[in-house]
Amino acid sequence: MSNNEENKAAPDLERDAESSNVAHDNIDRSETVLEQTMNEFNPEVNGDETIANNIDVGVYEERIAQLEGEVKAAKEGQARANADAYNAQKRMEQETEKSRKFALQKFAKELLEVVDNLERAIVSVQADDDADDAILEGVKLTHKSFLTVLNKHGVEVVDPQQEAFNPELHEAVGIDPNAAADTVGEVLQKGYTLNGRLLRPAMVKVGQ
């Protein structure tokens, strides 16, 4: 290699060395800055010192508490609404069932007069020695059919003879001297209930 070529290559080598030193310096400085930053946030290095900031944590805590209260109020409101809807549905079902059960109350009560007349006819025919047995059997069958139909629709007979007097089901219209105290003696007219509700009280005489 000539002297000129050697002289020309020397500056290039120097520039390469300088570039290499600059790169190393940059790496060293980057690692130093990183270490400084990590140390700045490391409580073991800084002790109890903290980085000052202008964030008011109390404001966020207050807002969180407010939102939690709103969520709780919304859940309680939804629960009350669900309960009200459930209660309304149950009341409607009960009213519907009640209406269905007692829709025939007036009609059934009017039919009781027919039953009473049939019972009077049976008593009358039985008292007549010349009465035709066929007629008596026919009236009895008609009476039984009426009671069967009424029973099918929830009507029950209240015939409390020799039972304890119950003012909720019986109506005392006289005294029976042959009956025990507070006991039903003679039943003048049978009573009836419709699905457990009093349709007509039994008219009775009670012992004293």
Side-chain angles (χ1 to χ4, degrees), residues 54-173:
N54 295 325
I55 299 175
D56 188 354
V57 178
V59 174
Y60 292 97
E61 292 177 345
E62 182 178 352
R63 180 56 178 163
I64 291 172
Q66 180 182 353
L67 292 174
E68 288 178 344
E70 292 176 358
V71 170
K72 182 179 179 181
K75 288 183 178 179
E76 291 176 350
Q78 184 64 40
R80 285 193 297 269
N82 291 340
D84 291 340
Y86 178 81
N87 292 332
Q89 180 182 355
K90 288 301 179 183
R91 284 194 297 269
M92 186 178 297
E93 290 176 356
Q94 290 174 356
E95 290 298 325
T96 302
E97 181 66 15
K98 186 182 295 184
S99 298
R100 185 189 67 79
K101 283 185 177 181
F102 303 111
L104 297 176
Q105 181 170 340
K106 184 178 180 181
F107 179 65
K109 195 170 184 178
E110 292 178 354
L111 286 180
L112 297 183
E113 296 181 6
V114 179
V115 176
D116 293 339
N117 289 332
L118 289 172
E119 290 178 349
R120 293 189 189 100
I122 291 172
V123 173
S124 178
V125 172
Q126 287 176 336
D128 187 357
D129 296 333
D130 297 329
D132 190 343
D133 291 339
I135 295 176
L136 178 60
E137 288 302 317
V139 175
K140 284 183 177 180
L141 286 174
T142 303
H143 175 259
K144 183 179 180 181
S145 298
F146 257 93
L147 290 180
T148 300
V149 172
L150 289 173
N151 184 258
K152 183 178 179 181
H153 290 86
V155 177
E156 299 286 346
V157 179
V158 178
D159 188 6
Q161 193 167 14
Q162 302 304 319
E163 294 181 2
F165 178 74
N166 183 353
E168 295 183 359
L169 298 174
H170 314 148
E171 181 179 353
V173 294

Side-chain angles (χ1 to χ4, degrees), residues 182-200:
D182 296 326
T183 301
V184 175
E186 183 180 1
V187 178
L188 303 177
Q189 186 181 66
K190 295 176 183 177
Y192 293 88
T193 60
L194 175 61
N195 293 312
R197 177 190 289 182
L198 185 63
L199 190 60
R200 187 183 76 182

